[in-house]
Amino acid sequence: MAPGRRHCCASSCNSPLFPVWLLTLSLAAIYSGVDKSWIGPAFRWAEKLNPWAMPDVFLIGCAIGYSRIEPYVPVSIGAGGWCMISAGLMAMVTRASLDQRSIWRRIQAPALSVLQQEHVTCTICNLLIAASAEGQRCPRCQARVWRRKPYAVERAAALTIAGTFLYPVANVYPMSMFSSHFVHTSHTIFAGVTDLVDAGLWPLAALVFTASIGIPFLKLAGMAWFLLSIRQCSDKKLVLKTDLYHLIDEIGRWSNMDV
Ligand SMILES: [Zn+2]
């Protein structure tokens, strides 16, 4: 290592891989024939935490952080950083090739004792459960089972209104600050985009602009439309609203990239 040169080592940032560890534990137990009650909850938590792991977003976020720090401090990626990058890439491939339904089928579930009655479906593992058990925990994945999640619309409306107020504030105030003995700089989201443009990193600048400014706006506008439609009991443009909901659900996590 050259004198004064700092290594950027991401090995301490293991949280993105925690769901992968849970997944590995679940799959190891399933394929070794172990029949334990913790396998279902472990796989459920692996699935539940997966949207927060975001190895793809994490890697691009590291690239953005690297590009911001590099003009001020000489940095290089150490062995731990390269291992973390490799692990993140492998985690992305694993998630893309995983068939959740086939995994749930391999996890033992108690058979229904009464077939001729009304049922509800667990939204996590799709197990059929007697409707009389609504509000109780699913016997396979231990998630609580509901026909409709209680107060879902009210919660979504409250969070959307809060987001509508916070969105302009988030774009006016700095998102990150960097201080050293000689330099003190702060970046708003838009300033971060212009810095990337000035550095000639146009694709990265477009990605950050889309993820940090465009997608949050799309999410808030889409959620406001859905909530108003529900309030007015509107059945117009259902296919478009469904497609937009799936789009927001899929790309929404990318809005965390600048953080
Ligand atoms: Zn379940």
Side-chain angles (χ1 to χ4, degrees):
M1 180 175 68
R5 197 167 179 80
R6 298 186 182 182
H7 278 249
C8 174
C9 176
S11 60
S12 61
C13 305
N14 288 320
S15 57
L17 297 178
F18 184 63
V20 179
W21 294 341
L22 273 179
L23 177 63
T24 305
L25 194 64
S26 307
L27 293 179
I30 291 167
Y31 285 100
S32 59
V34 175
D35 181 16
K36 296 287 184 184
S37 60
W38 56 262
I39 301 174
F43 186 61
R44 174 169 71 90
W45 276 104
E47 289 294 292
K48 194 171 185 176
L49 293 174
N50 183 47
W52 297 92
M54 302 180 291
D56 40 6
V57 179
F58 176 78
L59 292 179
I60 293 179
C62 286
I64 294 168
Y66 186 94
S67 67
R68 284 187 182 171
I69 294 173
E70 204 272 337
Y72 307 106
V73 180
V75 291
S76 64
I77 301 174
W82 287 116
C83 288
M84 188 68 190
I85 291 169
S86 304
L89 291 172
M90 284 189 278
M92 288 163 57
V93 174
T94 301
R95 301 307 311 190
S97 56
L98 188 70
D99 181 3
Q100 286 89 350
R101 279 186 295 186
S102 68
I103 301 297
W104 280 122
R105 278 197 291 268
R106 296 286 297 267
I107 299 175
Q108 296 296 323
L112 281 173
S113 56
V114 182
L115 294 176
Q116 301 300 322
Q117 63 175 341
E118 197 178 353
H119 295 97
V120 291
T121 306
C122 173
T123 53
I124 304 297
C125 69
N126 296 319
L127 184 68
L128 272 181
I129 298 165
S132 57
E134 184 180 3
Q136 298 177 17
R137 293 198 177 274
C138 167
R140 180 157 64 181
C141 71
Q142 295 295 304
R144 213 170 278 281
V145 179
W146 303 101
R147 287 172 199 268
R148 296 276 182 219
K149 199 182 286 184
Y151 304 110
V153 174
E154 289 83 354
R155 284 181 187 151
L159 291 169
T160 302
I161 292 169
T164 303
F165 280 103
L166 291 173
Y167 176 76
V169 179
N171 282 284
V172 169
Y173 286 92
M175 282 287 287
S176 61
M177 288 182 280
F178 176 76
S179 295
S180 72
H181 294 300
F182 310 106
V183 182
H184 176 80
T185 59
S186 60
H187 290 87
T188 62
I189 296 174
F190 194 75
V193 174
T194 54
D195 284 352
L196 290 169
V197 171
D198 292 341
L201 302 170
W202 278 92
L204 207 52
L207 193 60
V208 172
F209 179 85
T210 304
S212 301
I213 297 176
I215 290 176
F217 179 79
L218 179 68
K219 285 169 72 175
L220 289 170
M223 285 302 298
W225 186 28
F226 302 151
L227 291 165
L228 284 172
S229 295
I230 292 169
R231 185 175 174 80
Q232 296 171 354
C233 299
S234 169
D235 59 358
K236 295 176 183 173
K237 300 187 184 301
L238 289 179
V239 175
L240 177 61
K241 280 186 271 196
T242 304
D243 289 342
L244 181 61
Y245 176 79
H246 287 307
L247 179 70
I248 288 173
D249 191 40
E250 183 59 32
I251 65 175
R253 64 204 187 94
W254 283 89
S255 58
N256 291 323
M257 187 170 65
D258 208 58
V259 178

